[in-house]
Amino acid sequence: MTISAKELAFNKNDDAMRLKISELERKLDKIYLGGGKKRIEKHHSKGKLTARERIDLLLDVDSERIEIGAFAGYKMYEEHGGCPAGGVVIMIGYVSGKQCIVVANDATVKAGAWFPITGKKNLRAQEIAMENRLPIIYLVDSAGVFLPMQDEIFPDKEHFGRIFRNNAVMSSQGIVQIAAVMGSCVAGGAYLPIMSDESLIVNKTGTIFLAGSYLVKAAIGESIDNETLGGATTHTEISGVCDYNTENDQDCLETIRDLMDKIGHSENAGFDKKEALLPQRELKDVYGILPENRAKPYNVREIIKCLVDDSKFTEYKTNYGKSIVCTYARIDGWSVGIVANQREIVKNAKGEMQFGGVIYSDSADKAARFIMNCNQKNIPLVFLQDVTGFMVGSKSEHGGIIKDGAKLVSAMANSVVPKFTIVTGNSYGAGNYAMCGKAYDPRLIVGWPTAEIAVMGGSAAAKVLVQIEIASLKKRGEEITPEREKELFDKIKNRYDEQTSPYYAASRLWIDAIIDPADTRKIISMGIEMANRKKAEKPYNVGVIQT
C-alpha cells in the first residue's frame, strides 16, 4: 500500500507532537512531587495530606479540572533549591457540583513559603475569581514570606499585601471565599482566614498567629507553646477567629464540601449553550495537522474542525482578509466566535500573495469588525494564535497598517465578552497583542507544547543581535571570521530559543498552562462556564478608531 506525501507529513507531524506531549508529561510528573518524596513522607508522618491530595479529596470524583500555573517557577530560584509549581497548587474544578477555584499551599516546598512567583500565582487565582465571580477556596499551610527574597515579595503593589486587599474587594463584591487552616498560617498571612467569609481550622495541625512562640518570647518575654498561642481550640473557643474546628484533613475537606453544597446560584451572563456534539474529526488529529517545521504552511480551518462541535462553523468574510480566519461555531455546546491566524500562503482580492501567519491591513480590518459583532451578540471570543506579526514594508506602511492594526487592538482590548487565548504556534511581536496576549486580559491563556512567545523568532532575533555584536567588536579592532560569526550566532540563537519556549513563558505565568492540544475543548468550555457567572459591567465601546 502506497502512502501519499500528505499522509507521510501528517504522520511525521503527529510523531513530533506526541514526543512534545511526552516531554510535557515527564516534566509535570516531577513537578507533581513538589518538594520530593522524602518531604512528602515527612508531611504524611504528621497526619497531613499534601496539597494535591487535599485538592483531589475536595473536588468532585471524576470531575473535570484545569490546573493553573503548574510550571510557575520552573528552573527559577535554583540557587535556593527551586520552587516547584511556585509552592502553591491552583485548580479550577467542581466542589459539590459548584465550579470554583482552589488555592492550596504546598508545604513540602520550603514549608509553603512565598517566593515572588508564589505571590504572582496567588494573585492570578484571585484575578480569575474576581473576573468570573468564581468562589475561591484557600487551603492554607504556609510558613509565610521566604525571607531571603522578602524585598521581591513584600512591599510593592502586586506583592503579598495585595492578597488581603483582594480579599476585602471580593467580599464587597459578594464572591464566596472559604479558608481552611490546615497547617501554619503566620504573620501577615494570618489575616487571610478572617478576611474570608468562613474559616476552618484542623485540630492539632492548624495554627494561626501574627508571631510564633519563639518570636513572642523574644519580643515580650512570654513563654507559650504554639498550640495554646494559636491552635484550633484557641481560635474556635476563645478568639473567635475561626468558625469550624475540624478533627483532621479529611473532616475539614468534607466540611468545605458541605458548605459549598449550600451556596445559592447567581444570575448568569446569558452566553448561549446547546447540547454538545463531538467534532466529526478526532481531537488528536491536530497532532498531525500542525507542521513540525514551523515555517511550513497549513490550513487552520482543519484545526478548527478538530475543536468545534460537529466540525461545523460559519465563516465570516471568507474571501477577504485571508490571513485571519473569523468564524462562528460551538465548542462543547457553547456559542463562540473564533479568530485564528491562517498559515496558508494565499492570494488576496487583488491577486497579491499573502504569507501565512502575517496580519495584513484587510485581515486586521475584518477581525476588528468580527470582534465588534461578537460583542454585539454577546458571544465569547476564542483566539488561536500562530502569528509572526504585522506586515511590514513601504506598501503596508503607505496602506495604513499601523492604523488598521490599532483598530484591531482597540476592538479586542475593549471587548466586554470573555476572551480565551490558545497559543498553538508562534506568538511574535505586536501579533501577540492583536491576538489577545496576556496583556489584554484573556480569562484564560494557555499554550500547546509548540508555542513560542517572543518579540520575534530565534533566527531573526539572532541575526539582528549578531550584527550589533559584530559592529561593536569591529569598533574595538577585533577581526570577525565567518567561524567566529557562526559561533556568535549559535550562542545568541540558543539563548533566545530558550526564552521563546512555552516552558519559559509558563514559568513566569505569561500563560496559565501548557496543555495537550486534545484538552483545548475542555479548557474553553470550562472557561466559558465560569465566565458565564458574571455579566459585563459596561456596554461595549471601542472609543476613537481611525477608519
Side-chain angles (χ1 to χ4, degrees):
M1 180 180 175
T2 304
I3 300 177
S4 68
K6 186 176 181 180
E7 288 173 317
L8 281 171
F10 184 97
N11 292 338
K12 185 178 179 182
N13 296 337
D14 184 272
D15 289 343
M17 180 65 84
R18 289 179 187 274
L19 284 172
K20 286 183 178 294
I21 292 169
S22 294
E23 179 189 10
L24 169 66
E25 290 171 345
R26 285 196 303 272
K27 292 178 188 295
L28 285 172
D29 285 342
K30 187 174 181 180
I31 286 169
Y32 292 161
L33 290 174
K37 291 182 179 179
K38 287 185 178 179
R39 288 181 183 171
I40 291 173
E41 289 170 4
K42 186 176 180 181
H43 202 70
H44 286 164
S45 71
K46 299 176 183 177
K48 297 164 67 175
L49 300 173
T50 66
R52 293 185 183 278
E53 289 168 340
R54 288 166 175 168
I55 290 175
D56 284 340
L57 200 58
L58 178 63
L59 296 182
D60 296 347
V61 176
D62 296 329
S63 61
E64 297 282 20
R65 61 185 67 181
I66 301 170
E67 181 165 358
I68 301 296
F71 282 99
Y74 179 69
K75 290 191 174 180
M76 297 168 67
Y77 316 120
E78 291 183 342
E79 69 276 22
H80 297 295
C83 187
V88 61
V89 182
I90 295 175
M91 204 79 69
I92 299 171
Y94 301 87
V95 175
S96 298
K98 308 291 192 340
Q99 195 180 36
C100 59
I101 188 163
V102 183
V103 180
N105 299 114
D106 186 350
T108 71
V109 179
K110 292 287 191 296
W114 286 53
F115 285 71
I117 198 67
T118 317
K120 187 173 183 179
K121 188 171 173 180
N122 275 268
L123 289 170
R124 176 61 179 145
Q126 290 185 321
E127 179 182 45
I128 291 170
M130 287 188 283
E131 284 180 329
N132 303 287
R133 291 187 63 85
L134 201 61
I136 185 166
I137 299 168
Y138 307 97
L139 306 181
V140 184
D141 193 348
S142 172
V145 168
F146 184 63
L147 291 178
M149 302 188 75
Q150 64 85 26
D151 60 320
E152 297 181 46
I153 181 60
F154 171 66
D156 209 346
K157 181 179 178 180
E158 299 298 329
H159 283 178
F160 191 70
R162 190 77 171 180
I163 302 292
F164 315 122
R165 175 265 184 194
N166 287 349
N167 287 144
V169 170
M170 284 191 283
S171 183
S172 72
Q173 294 174 348
I175 297 169
V176 173
Q177 299 176 85
I178 296 173
V181 181
M182 308 183 79
S184 297
C185 183
V186 302
Y191 288 103
L192 187 144
I194 200 62
M195 296 191 75
S196 298
D197 301 335
E198 292 183 284
S199 60
L200 308 87
I201 187 168
V202 178
N203 193 33
K204 302 302 182 185
T205 55
T207 53
I208 311 171
F209 32 64
L210 294 179
S213 57
Y214 293 133
L215 187 54
V216 167
K217 176 69 173 178
I220 63 172
E222 180 183 3
S223 295
I224 190 170
D225 64 89
N226 283 338
E227 183 65 24
T228 305
L229 180 65
T233 301
T234 296
H235 284 310
T236 57
E237 297 182 18
I238 301 172
S239 73
V241 165
C242 291
D243 306 308
Y244 305 92
N245 184 347
T246 58
E247 282 306 307
N248 50 41
D249 281 10
Q250 291 85 347
D251 182 36
C252 180
L253 297 168
E254 187 57 39
T255 304
I256 295 173
R257 291 184 54 80
D258 287 342
L259 295 173
M260 287 294 294
D261 181 58
K262 311 302 187 295
I263 293 175
H265 295 276
S266 58
E267 189 177 13
N268 65 42
F271 303 133
D272 188 64
K273 188 177 187 184
K274 291 185 176 179
E275 184 179 352
L277 298 171
L278 287 173
Q280 291 183 23
R281 291 202 67 164
E282 288 289 330
L283 291 170
K284 292 185 178 181
D285 276 359
V286 294
Y287 297 176
I289 295 169
L290 196 74
E292 177 189 12
N293 182 342
R294 301 300 305 117
K296 286 189 175 181
Y298 65 93
N299 190 342
V300 76
R301 294 177 185 86
E302 297 305 311
I303 285 181
I304 292 172
K305 287 177 184 177
C306 298
L307 301 179
V308 303
D309 290 15
D310 203 28
S311 298
K312 291 182 178 178
F313 52 89
T314 304
E315 191 169 342
Y316 176 78
K317 292 184 182 288
T318 306
N319 296 314
Y320 178 76
K322 293 181 180 180
S323 73
I324 289 183
V325 170
C326 299
T327 188
Y328 299 107
R330 289 188 182 275
I331 292 179
D332 200 33
W334 292 104
S335 171
V336 296
I338 299 172
V339 181
N341 299 113
Q342 174 61 298
R343 289 302 301 264
E344 280 193 319
I345 298 173
V346 297
K347 289 183 179 180
N348 64 15
K350 298 176 183 177
E352 299 164 334
M353 298 304 295
Q354 292 191 336
F355 296 98
V358 180
I359 302 176
Y360 293 80
S361 284
D362 54 356
S363 305
D365 178 72
K366 176 175 83 171
R369 181 64 179 265
F370 181 75
I371 289 167
M372 294 178 201
N373 280 335
C374 287
N375 275 272
Q376 183 86 343
K377 298 174 181 178
N378 200 30
I379 298 174
L381 286 159
V382 175
F383 292 83
L384 301 180
Q385 278 197 18
D386 192 354
V387 58
T388 53
F390 284 86
M391 190 59 188
V392 297
S394 61
K395 188 171 183 179
S396 292
E397 297 294 357
H398 296 170
I401 187 68
I402 296 174
K403 169 172 62 69
D404 292 317
K407 183 192 302 181
L408 172 54
V409 171
S410 182
M412 179 275 302
N414 284 295
S415 177
V416 297
V417 296
K419 300 170 297 210
F420 301 90
T421 302
I422 317 296
V423 185
T424 63
N426 301 333
S427 179
Y428 295 159
N432 170 281
Y433 301 161
M435 293 294 293
C436 196
K438 182 65 182 287
Y440 291 85
D441 301 320
R443 297 295 177 97
L444 293 173
I445 177 170
V446 299
W448 289 0
T450 44
E452 293 185 359
I453 302 172
V455 172
M456 62 181 74
S459 293
K463 286 175 184 176
V464 173
L465 293 170
V466 162
Q467 293 310 308
I468 294 171
E469 180 72 10
I470 288 173
S472 176
L473 291 171
K474 284 182 177 178
K475 281 183 180 178
R476 296 203 294 264
E478 294 188 34
E479 183 180 345
I480 307 300
T481 64
E483 293 77 16
R484 173 67 171 146
E485 184 173 343
K486 184 180 184 303
E487 181 186 336
L488 282 170
F489 176 84
D490 290 342
K491 181 180 178 182
I492 292 171
K493 184 179 182 298
N494 289 340
R495 186 178 72 240
Y496 201 89
D497 283 345
E498 181 182 349
Q499 293 177 358
T500 64
S501 84
Y503 297 102
Y504 192 90
S507 70
R508 289 152 178 81
L509 290 173
W510 300 346
I511 54 177
D512 292 317
I514 304 171
I515 66 165
D516 181 334
D519 288 334
T520 304
R521 273 173 59 90
K522 179 187 80 172
I523 298 290
I524 295 169
S525 178
M526 286 183 65
I528 297 175
E529 181 184 351
M530 73 179 187
N532 197 40
R533 297 178 54 88
K534 185 178 181 181
K535 284 187 173 183
E537 296 175 348
K538 62 179 182 178
Y540 184 56
N541 188 338
V542 295
V544 177
I545 291 184
Q546 291 191 40
T547 57

